[in-house]
Amino acid sequence: MSATEILVEAQLREVGAKSNLTQLRAAGQIPAVVYGEGNAAVAVQMNEHDFEMMLKHHHGENLMMDLKIGDAAPKHVLLKQVQHHPLTQRILHVDFHEVGLNRKVKVHLPLNLVGTPIGVSRNGGTLDIQFRELEVECKAADLLEELEVDVSELAVGDHLTADKVKLPAGFRLITPDHVSIATVLKARVSTGTETEEAAG
């Protein structure tokens, strides 16, 4: 999905005391900051409900989008960080970075493992997932919401490491090659003692 397919509207906000942020959130607004390329940071606010609804339609939070501040022309921005409340998960603050679409960005992309490993379907093994994202570098215009990884060919004992994940053209892997993404574990064999205990 390209940046021009996601449009977020915001308004300029005054930077003041902490109590102002509390009042802002109570009014259903999210405080945010836009960091520009060589420009001073700009403080903005967005409608909380609209922003949350937008995020629910996407797989991750590393998104390229068009940010329209007031009546100004939209800016191409990368959603860099979303700060959530540790208990309620309510969005507290958002950081945007203005970037050109041809500029390279480094992001953590979630992995979507698809397919059933043959080690599971044929041999009763278990797919053990150890890592759910990869750090990559790519042009901002090529940024994806997730990386789809086919694990259907994994047999019992096979390890899927970061370097075996097929990346789109123009993407560079930053996560170390040896990092284990998933392993198909051998089926656990119940002992006679376990069977007797279960029966008892």
Side-chain angles (χ1 to χ4, degrees):
M1 177 171 285
S2 67
T4 55
E5 293 181 44
I6 305 177
L7 177 65
V8 173
E9 296 186 357
Q11 300 295 327
L12 291 173
R13 66 177 171 90
E14 294 184 4
V15 179
K18 184 177 180 180
S19 59
N20 292 345
L21 295 181
T22 301
Q23 294 171 1
L24 193 70
R25 295 185 183 108
Q29 297 289 309
I30 300 173
V33 175
V34 184
Y35 296 94
E37 294 185 306
N39 301 319
V42 178
V44 299
Q45 63 190 57
M46 306 171 296
N47 181 277
E48 180 180 12
H49 177 267
D50 292 347
F51 190 76
E52 287 184 340
M53 289 299 100
M54 181 278 294
L55 284 183
K56 286 184 178 180
H57 288 86
H58 300 281
H59 300 292
E61 292 185 349
N62 286 308
L63 302 171
M64 280 297 298
M65 57 186 62
D66 285 342
L67 180 67
K68 182 175 173 55
I69 304 173
D71 296 326
K75 303 173 180 287
H76 295 309
V77 298
L78 172 65
L79 178 58
K80 193 66 175 179
Q81 183 178 39
V82 180
Q83 180 184 348
H84 296 268
H85 189 282
L87 298 179
T88 65
Q89 292 303 304
R90 184 180 182 185
I91 298 175
L92 298 178
H93 192 273
V94 176
D95 284 346
F96 296 104
H97 284 212
E98 184 178 0
V99 295
L101 293 182
N102 287 322
R103 181 176 173 179
K104 290 189 175 182
V105 294
K106 295 179 180 180
V107 294
H108 288 84
L109 291 184
L111 298 175
N112 178 19
L113 305 186
V114 298
T116 302
I118 57 176
V120 174
S121 59
R122 297 181 186 177
N123 305 108
T126 302
L127 180 64
D128 181 36
I129 302 173
Q130 295 103 29
F131 219 65
R132 295 184 178 273
E133 64 179 21
L134 286 182
E135 185 178 10
V136 299
E137 181 183 62
C138 66
K139 284 185 178 180
D142 297 333
L143 185 61
L144 302 173
E145 294 184 21
E146 64 178 15
L147 290 171
E148 189 171 284
V149 182
D150 186 0
V151 296
S152 58
E153 295 300 315
L154 293 180
V156 171
D158 283 351
H159 299 268
L160 174 66
T161 51
D163 61 328
K164 294 179 182 177
V165 175
K166 185 177 181 180
L167 299 178
F171 280 60
R172 181 176 71 88
L173 180 67
I174 297 176
T175 298
D177 291 351
H178 67 274
V179 169
S180 180
I181 304 299
T183 304
V184 178
L185 303 176
K186 186 177 181 180
R188 183 180 177 184
V189 179
S190 298
T191 64
T193 302
E194 291 176 334
T195 303
E196 291 174 3
E197 290 177 352

